[in-house]
Amino acid sequence: MSAPELTHAELVFQLASLSRSRAGEQARGCVNPIRLTGSSTTINASTGEVVRAYSSDDEPDGHTYVRCGNRRAAVCPSCSREYKGDAWHLLSCGLAGGKSVPETVAQHPATFATFTAPSFGAVHRHTRPANGRTSPCRARRDRPRCPHGRPLSCVRRHDADDPQVGQPLCHECYDYTAHAAWQWWAPQLWRYFTMALRRRLARAAGLSMKAFTSAAKVSYTRVVEFQARGVVHFHVVIRLDGPDGPTTPPQLPLTVTDLEDAVRHAAAHVHKDVPIPGGQTLRLRWGRQLDLRTITPGTGRDNQAGPAHPHQVAAYLAKYLTKSTEDFGLPVAGKLYSAGHAAKHGATPHAVRLIKAAQQLVPIHDDYQRLKDRYATLGYRGHPITKSRAYSVTFGALRTARRQWRQRRAQLPTDADVRDVLDVDQADTEDTATTVVVGSWRYAGRGYLDTAAAANATRSANLARIRRAEAQTFAAGVADGPAAQESVGDSREKSYG
Ligand SMILES: [Zn+2]
Ligand SMILES: [Zn+2]
Ligand SMILES: [Zn+2]
């Protein structure tokens, strides 16, 4: 019995659904996967035997779909969720022990610190609900006005997502130059802080720097959070480890209180003098507000203040990692050339003014040269997450795993925001020591194909398969022997799934 004739529309639909269902299987809810064409073969290094062979030719539409892996929730909710989970897992291992980090690490003196930026002028704010109700923004009985005649009070109760939040009450009073300079120099201020902290700790222990270094190491994990006003805050785990890192306790009689005292002291005393337009010098410091929460496994996981549980700290850090600068109307990818360019892109007036101030810093000193490449992050030049080498051996192992993974992975386009944390488990489970992967991949585009393109691609992939099968049969006939067929393993390489 022959199948009923399909109409053209039905045929297109069926071909497209073949592509769709396999793409969905591979990309698992990623909104903008990367499409690749190519193949890879896994070979046992000692025997030369082909362990696995995989080619995008075997996919219904001839494409291999790779998840975008973007950590930012606004770009891809699915990949961001996965990234957050992986980040939490890794950070938890670093804090509470797990994987290759001993659980004794949780006994080392450790604190969770939030370093803030100073105020550059009054902004509208969302105040956390007290008794279930958000407090007024800036209630002032005397209703003062600034020199430009704008009110310096605001009685509105802004929700957290109110676009007014973070916008200055008066943009003329707001010190955009100081804001831009502070943001640019924040990583330097951080370095000064870490040096001052070590000096302070050595002094508290009554040791020379040299003796201190042989007794303890200070480890950091620092995650950046952009505030609504467009300035970064640093959320940092600061921990005292032994001289060899997290595997040994510090060989010092210092408690977590000593550590926190030293953090406060160092943060209050570091500064950096930087040039600003008009031949002036600006002295940069941390904001006065410095929150410290002792990290201890013996506390509740939901405390809003006071001591924090390692898992809770990991959750905070993972959450900050998935946020970014898109809230300011800035592009999440690609370069931003100027304040005007930002305005055209739909950036908030506040962000545009801030970028303008950054532009004015560029010509005044060589140190600001590279600032012009950082307008898209409002002048911030650091990474979303940084950690000192000693923080956790898991991160070290991760780097190796990641490198191996990159070699195995297809050559991705430079703008592919390849997730970093995800791949370790897959790399771990593979027998990477004994096999080599030879592959060649080409970037074919981004996103899922639309119906017509998916149908076309599936049709061409099918035709190509038929042609290859015919060629093989022909070759086999010529050789007059058993088909010289490459064994195409039925186990599709999981790496792209
Ligand atoms: Zn994605
Ligand atoms: Zn307000
Ligand atoms: Zn004003």
Side-chain angles (χ1 to χ4, degrees):
M1 187 175 132
S2 65
E5 286 279 298
L6 289 175
T7 66
H8 177 72
E10 282 168 340
L11 189 65
V12 165
F13 177 79
Q14 290 209 347
L15 287 170
S17 7
L18 274 175
S19 152
R20 291 267 166 74
S21 72
R22 178 61 184 150
E25 211 175 293
Q26 290 186 309
R28 290 177 289 115
C30 171
V31 296
N32 195 22
I34 300 159
R35 295 196 310 277
L36 301 168
T37 57
S39 65
S40 63
T41 311
T42 310
I43 298 161
N44 184 316
S46 47
T47 64
E49 175 203 4
V50 173
V51 180
R52 234 186 340 266
Y54 168 76
S55 167
S56 57
D57 287 343
D58 305 326
E59 297 295 351
D61 64 6
H63 287 133
T64 295
Y65 289 79
V66 183
R67 284 167 65 80
C68 75
N70 202 297
R71 76 186 157 79
R72 290 166 296 203
V75 178
C76 181
S78 169
C79 289
S80 169
R81 207 161 36 241
E82 200 167 50
Y83 183 97
K84 198 161 152 183
D86 292 342
W88 179 85
H89 189 68
L90 279 171
L91 291 161
S92 290
C93 288
L95 285 163
K99 288 221 167 183
S100 45
V101 185
E103 275 169 30
T104 49
V105 77
Q107 310 302 326
H108 300 188
T111 190
F112 182 43
T114 298
F115 290 79
T116 61
S119 169
F120 305 108
V123 297
H124 292 280
R125 57 193 175 184
H126 159 73
T127 320
R128 288 223 173 77
N131 314 323
R133 193 153 187 226
T134 308
S135 316
C137 174
R138 290 176 179 274
R140 293 274 299 268
R141 219 177 281 277
D142 53 344
R143 307 244 177 138
R145 284 183 180 268
C146 78
H148 310 97
R150 298 191 178 95
L152 287 176
S153 64
C154 171
V155 292
R156 289 177 53 201
R157 296 168 193 270
H158 302 289
D159 288 332
D161 56 357
D162 185 336
Q164 275 289 91
V165 171
Q167 303 293 307
L169 272 75
C170 174
H171 65 84
E172 284 175 278
C173 287
Y174 194 89
D175 194 345
Y176 283 101
T177 301
H179 182 152
W182 191 91
Q183 190 111 297
W184 177 244
W185 291 108
Q188 187 71 42
L189 207 54
W190 172 256
R191 263 193 295 281
Y192 285 2
F193 163 77
T194 60
M195 292 189 281
L197 177 62
R198 280 158 48 82
R199 281 197 303 271
R200 190 73 195 169
L201 284 168
R203 222 168 105 185
L207 296 174
S208 67
M209 274 313 289
K210 200 176 163 208
F212 176 80
T213 308
S214 60
K217 233 175 205 154
V218 189
S219 76
Y220 306 94
T221 298
R222 193 190 78 192
V223 169
V224 161
E225 183 197 19
F226 271 89
Q227 300 292 292
R229 58 181 167 133
V231 77
V232 291
H233 280 183
F234 290 162
H235 301 280
V236 198
V237 173
I238 306 174
R239 189 177 66 205
L240 267 182
D241 287 337
D244 301 321
T247 50
T248 53
Q251 319 288 307
L252 289 170
L254 293 180
T255 64
V256 70
T257 311
D258 297 325
L259 173 64
E260 291 180 340
D261 285 347
V263 168
R264 274 193 207 95
H265 187 274
H269 284 82
V270 291
H271 65 262
K272 175 158 182 69
D273 293 337
V274 304
I276 52 168
Q280 287 180 294
T281 298
L282 194 64
R283 175 158 290 190
L284 302 175
R285 294 179 179 283
W286 296 106
R288 247 172 312 186
Q289 198 195 337
L290 173 70
D291 288 336
L292 291 179
R293 294 181 67 184
T294 303
I295 304 174
T296 164
T299 190
R301 285 159 203 240
D302 305 312
N303 299 351
Q304 291 302 302
H309 191 279
H311 289 170
Q312 189 188 19
V313 174
Y316 281 133
L317 295 178
K319 185 185 81 183
Y320 299 134
L321 268 176
T322 54
K323 296 208 295 182
S324 192
T325 49
E326 52 263 3
D327 289 347
F328 308 103
L330 298 167
V332 288
K335 202 178 158 177
L336 199 58
Y337 295 95
S338 64
H341 184 197
K344 264 193 217 124
H345 198 278
T348 63
H350 181 54
V352 172
R353 290 189 186 104
L354 185 52
I355 292 165
K356 195 169 170 193
Q359 272 182 276
Q360 286 162 352
L361 288 173
V362 173
I364 66 163
H365 196 282
D366 281 353
D367 285 345
Y368 291 114
Q369 264 309 303
R370 290 180 308 124
L371 174 53
K372 64 180 182 300
D373 301 325
R374 299 294 175 150
Y375 298 150
T377 50
L378 299 175
Y380 178 65
R381 55 175 145 168
H383 295 284
I385 181 170
T386 55
K387 65 259 169 233
S388 51
R389 196 172 307 213
Y391 175 70
S392 133
V393 273
T394 308
F395 280 110
L398 212 105
R399 270 195 295 274
T400 315
R402 200 180 299 152
R403 203 165 45 240
Q404 287 169 346
W405 183 250
R406 286 263 161 76
Q407 288 161 359
R408 297 149 40 89
R409 196 187 262 274
Q411 286 146 8
L412 297 175
T414 46
D415 70 334
D417 198 340
V418 179
R419 66 183 304 177
D420 282 340
V421 235
L422 167 70
D423 309 318
V424 66
D425 287 338
Q426 285 167 325
D428 275 352
T429 55
E430 297 285 341
D431 35 356
T432 45
T434 54
T435 60
V436 281
V437 178
V438 189
S440 150
W441 289 90
R442 269 200 359 264
Y443 173 68
R446 287 211 83 134
Y448 300 98
L449 298 171
D450 64 29
T451 306
N456 266 332
T458 308
R459 203 174 137 264
S460 330
N462 265 326
L463 287 172
R465 273 189 287 273
I466 292 165
R467 272 198 301 275
R468 278 196 303 276
E470 281 171 359
Q472 270 176 1
T473 313
F474 178 71
V478 170
D480 194 28
Q485 276 178 348
E486 293 276 322
S487 139
V488 174
D490 55 350
S491 64
R492 286 213 167 84
E493 198 170 14
K494 282 276 186 285
S495 13
Y496 301 101

